[in-house]
Amino acid sequence: MHRVTWLSLASLVVPVVLAAQQPTAPHDSVRGAIRAVDTRARTLEVTTGVGLALRVVRLQVPAAVPITDQNGAQSAPINLAALKPGDVIRVSFGSRPTGFVAYTIERLGRMAAGLR
């Protein structure tokens, strides 16, 4: 009887433990313009084009996420507060139960102020 109980318990616990040990690799990326930055909540909203429509992706940005600025051939580390609306970025991210979470952020440039 105890053997059946242990086997039942193991069949419930083992898949959870194995899933927790697997690394979370980025499963998607987005390239677009920053719509909003909230440094207190550590979130970004990125506007990107999808077909003929626009899409806004809201991302959580953990403190350990590397953020870089691409200046020509060089890249320099920057912090979240350096990102501003209108910056063009590329973000690799993954999905978690709490929403999308950024893994890397690269600032590629800045949108032009206006077109005439």
Side-chain angles (χ1 to χ4, degrees), residues 34 36-37 43-46 57-59 61 80 83 89 105:
I34 294 177
V37 179
T43 60
L44 278 178
E45 289 184 2
V46 181
V57 180
R58 184 176 173 89
L59 300 158
V61 183
L80 183 62
L83 297 175
I89 62 172
I105 301 173

Side-chain angles (χ1 to χ4, degrees), residues 26-101:
H27 80 290
D28 208 351
S29 65
V30 67
R31 185 177 186 161
I34 294 177
R35 179 176 178 222
V37 179
D38 186 343
T39 55
R40 287 185 186 200
R42 297 202 58 88
T43 60
L44 278 178
E45 289 184 2
V46 181
T47 302
T48 186
V50 178
L52 297 175
L54 293 178
R55 178 178 114 175
V56 175
V57 180
R58 184 176 173 89
L59 300 158
Q60 299 170 14
V61 183
V65 169
I67 305 173
T68 56
D69 184 17
Q70 300 289 29
N71 288 330
Q74 300 179 23
S75 67
I78 58 174
N79 60 20
L80 183 62
L83 297 175
K84 304 292 180 209
D87 286 349
V88 177
I89 62 172
R90 178 176 39 227
V91 182
S92 64
F93 64 95
S95 179
R96 294 195 183 156
T98 58
F100 294 129
V101 178

Side-chain angles (χ1 to χ4, degrees), residues 4-26:
V4 172
T5 304
W6 281 108
L7 288 174
S8 297
L9 182 61
S11 68
L12 293 174
V13 173
V14 170
V16 173
V17 172
L18 290 176
Q21 290 177 351
Q22 293 177 349
T24 55

